[in-house]
């Protein structure tokens, strides 16, 4: 294929507002995922709330935001067939394909630096679990959503990363390695899918105040981070969700392959 023929023309569907999108948020029932789910729903999007084990939280969130606009669906994102079934369920429910995928699911992890496994003790199984959750999960959702995005002539994929890749102030070896691999996948997917008007970007956060994963973090650590940021505070899940909305919105239609660090200026990448 020649370079000329591979150039995609400007597509009117790139201007699709959030209110016309069907959004899948993996791990969307709790913590950061719930904040992202809520942000999309409040802007009029229809949202698939994916959960693995948190059915009660997913159902409660869907009821709170409106059962007609939100659908809670169980699926383990490391299981490709389960993800395919989830996308089919979403399409049948909403009568249209998922157009926007937020890869937020996090395999069980706790941000407690004192309790983290050190390099002397950590085993490969920990890396494997995080890689399956971050990289395999994102691959499965992308592959399952692509036919519908192509049908719609529109697609937005946002992955959730970490500022620890740029500044590993706490060496969470397995988690950070998996997120670095996810950043690489984000960029290669953007190159592969850009000609089809599908953008792929990452939003990377620091410690958020507060999610289930950061609940074990000592208060003194939150205070130290706050004093190290230009804003003098720790980013909240709702503030982080705003950046995710940006990448899905018409204002980011020409942005792809990017990693936006949202941590109050703690890391300046």
């Amino acid at each position: 294929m020649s370079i000329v023929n591979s150039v995609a023309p400007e597509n009117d569907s790139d201007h699709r507002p959030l209110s016309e999108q069907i959004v899948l948020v993996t791990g969307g029932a709790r913590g950061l995922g719930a904040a992202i789910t809520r942000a999309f729903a409040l802007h009029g999007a229809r949202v698939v709330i994916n959960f693995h084990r948190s059915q009660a939280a997913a159902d409660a969130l869907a009821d709170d935001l409106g059962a007609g606009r939100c659908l809670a669906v169980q699926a383990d994102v490391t299981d490709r067939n389960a993800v395919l079934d989830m996308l089919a369920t979403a399409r049948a429910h909403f009568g249209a394909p998922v157009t926007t995928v937020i890869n937020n699911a996090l395999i069980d992890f706790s941000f407690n630096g004192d309790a983290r496994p050190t390099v002397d003790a950590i085993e490969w199984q920990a890396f494997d679990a995080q890689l399956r959750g971050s990289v395999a999960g994102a691959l499965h959702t992308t592959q399952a959503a692509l036919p519908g995005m192509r049908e719609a002539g529109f697609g937005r994929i946002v992955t959730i990363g970490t500022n620890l890749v740029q500044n590993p102030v706490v060496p969470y070896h397995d988690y950070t390695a998996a997120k670095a691999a996810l950043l690489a996948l984000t960029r290669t997917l953007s190159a592969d899918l850009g000609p089809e008007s599908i953008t792929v970007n990452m939003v990377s956060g620091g410690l958020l105040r507060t999610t289930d994963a950061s609940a074990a973090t000592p208060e003194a650590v939150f205070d130290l981070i706050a004093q190290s940021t230009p804003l003098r505070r720790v980013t909240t899940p709702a503030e982080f969700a705003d950046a995710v909305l940006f990448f899905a919105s018409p204002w980011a239609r020409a942005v792809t392959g990017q990693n936006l660090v949202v941590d109050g200026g703690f890391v300046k990448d």
Side-chain angles (χ1 to χ4, degrees):
M1 179 181 294
S2 70
I3 294 176
V4 172
N5 289 336
S6 66
V7 174
E10 185 174 351
N11 189 339
D12 288 341
S13 67
D14 288 346
H15 299 258
R16 184 173 302 200
L18 297 174
S19 60
E20 295 180 8
Q21 297 181 31
I22 300 177
V23 183
L24 166 65
V25 182
T26 66
R30 299 185 299 142
L32 175 59
I36 294 171
T37 294
R38 188 173 296 276
F40 273 106
L42 292 178
H43 281 78
R46 289 169 287 177
V47 187
V48 182
I49 307 171
N50 161 251
F51 68 93
H52 185 198
R53 292 185 293 267
S54 305
Q55 180 168 359
D59 288 342
L61 183 59
D63 289 342
D64 182 42
L65 295 174
R69 301 204 67 83
C70 295
L71 174 68
V73 184
Q74 193 280 335
D76 178 354
V77 296
T78 67
D79 182 337
R80 183 173 184 271
N81 289 329
V83 173
L84 287 168
D85 289 344
M86 173 172 58
L87 269 291
T89 297
R91 184 185 184 112
H93 179 81
F94 290 120
V98 165
T99 61
T100 306
V101 173
I102 313 301
N103 289 299
N104 166 76
L106 175 64
I107 298 299
D108 294 338
F109 198 83
S110 176
F111 295 105
N112 184 342
D114 293 334
R116 69 176 179 85
T118 65
V119 68
D120 303 281
I122 195 166
E123 298 181 352
W124 174 251
Q125 287 86 342
F127 287 87
D128 184 62
Q130 292 302 317
L131 285 165
R132 284 188 294 107
S134 290
V135 182
L139 177 63
H140 293 158
T141 58
T142 298
Q143 290 175 330
L146 272 179
M149 290 179 176
R150 287 167 173 155
E151 176 186 331
F154 173 90
R156 296 289 179 265
I157 300 170
V158 182
T159 59
I160 305 303
T162 176
N163 66 1
L164 292 170
V165 173
Q166 289 80 16
N167 185 28
V169 290
V170 179
Y172 295 114
H173 302 292
D174 48 346
Y175 171 80
T176 305
K179 292 299 188 179
L182 182 59
L183 175 57
L185 179 63
T186 299
R187 289 174 168 162
T188 56
L189 286 175
S190 73
D192 204 9
L193 300 177
E196 300 183 74
S197 296
I198 299 170
T199 66
V200 191
N201 292 286
M202 173 177 277
V203 183
S204 292
L207 199 64
L208 298 177
R209 197 173 210 163
T210 307
T211 66
D212 292 347
S214 65
T217 302
E219 194 64 23
V221 174
F222 282 114
D223 293 340
L224 179 62
I225 290 175
Q227 291 306 309
S228 301
T229 69
L231 296 179
R232 297 296 188 269
R233 57 188 173 83
V234 177
T235 305
T236 67
E239 291 169 331
F240 188 93
D242 291 342
V244 177
L245 290 183
F246 166 72
F247 279 132
S249 76
W251 293 282
R253 64 184 182 273
V255 183
T256 195
Q258 302 305 306
N259 177 30
L260 177 61
V261 178
V262 178
D263 64 0
F266 184 77
V267 171
K268 299 173 182 62
D269 184 20

